[in-house]
Amino acid sequence: MMTAQTYHPHIHATPADHLSLTYEDRFLRRKVLTLASGMPLLVDLAQTTSLDHGGALITTQGEEIRIEAAPEPLLAVTGDSLHRIAWHIGNRHTPCQIEDTRLLILRDHVMADMLAKIGAQTAEVVEPFTPEGGAYGHGRTHGHDHTHSHT
């Protein structure tokens, strides 16, 4: 079985295959996954890692497997005071994808109710989810270490 023990936050070469994973599925250490081609891949990382959209798992043969954010059920959040709405979402430690005209969060009826109470509008959508990471590299955020070789 093909095995990947290394992760890089970006692609260096033409990928051999790809994986389409949800936000929760992109947080792992050891798991057998099925590539887009249908082939199994054992991911066996040294520590639990958040795989980012556009990142790459490196197989023991040196091939890169591109990571893609899979479409998943989300809430698109809009409103007149988007900065205030974003504060309330962040205050609840809810992963959030921040865009110019909307915010995206995982579907949650409790959050939808709270957001409606503060004047936000929500719409159910199915899209890839790539939320912001933390400012200090904690939790699901990992700094972009550029000390690895590109050769």
Side-chain angles (χ1 to χ4, degrees):
M1 177 183 305
M2 189 183 315
T3 301
Q5 295 177 317
T6 307
Y7 170 74
H8 289 294
H10 56 269
I11 294 288
H12 296 105
T14 302
D17 210 329
H18 73 275
L19 285 165
S20 184
L21 303 168
T22 66
Y23 176 66
E24 290 303 319
D25 290 340
R26 293 193 315 267
F27 192 61
L28 60 101
R29 192 198 78 68
R30 183 177 167 84
K31 188 173 186 179
V32 175
L33 301 172
T34 303
L35 298 170
S37 65
M39 298 293 296
L41 171 71
L42 170 61
V43 178
D44 187 17
L45 302 171
Q47 62 189 28
T48 302
T49 302
S50 183
L51 310 178
D52 296 325
H53 175 78
L57 288 165
I58 313 302
T59 69
T60 53
Q61 295 81 25
E63 295 179 310
E64 294 187 336
I65 307 298
R66 185 180 70 239
I67 305 300
E68 295 180 358
E72 57 187 302
L74 304 173
L75 287 176
V77 182
T78 57
D80 291 334
S81 299
L82 207 54
H83 60 285
R84 180 174 168 267
I85 295 166
W87 184 89
H88 282 281
I89 291 170
N91 191 45
R92 283 149 184 87
H93 302 280
T94 300
C96 182
Q97 181 174 326
I98 300 171
E99 299 178 352
D100 288 340
T101 60
R102 68 179 187 164
L103 307 170
L104 292 172
I105 62 171
L106 294 170
R107 281 192 200 165
D108 180 317
H109 70 280
V110 173
M111 287 295 293
D113 183 57
M114 181 276 299
L115 291 166
K117 288 178 181 174
I118 62 169
Q121 294 80 46
T122 60
E124 292 185 354
V125 298
V126 176
E127 298 180 23
F129 186 48
T130 56
E132 291 289 320
Y136 300 105
H138 298 290
R140 291 222 24 190
T141 304
H142 299 277
H144 183 104
D145 176 11
H146 225 245
T147 59
H148 61 273
S149 172
H150 280 243
T151 57

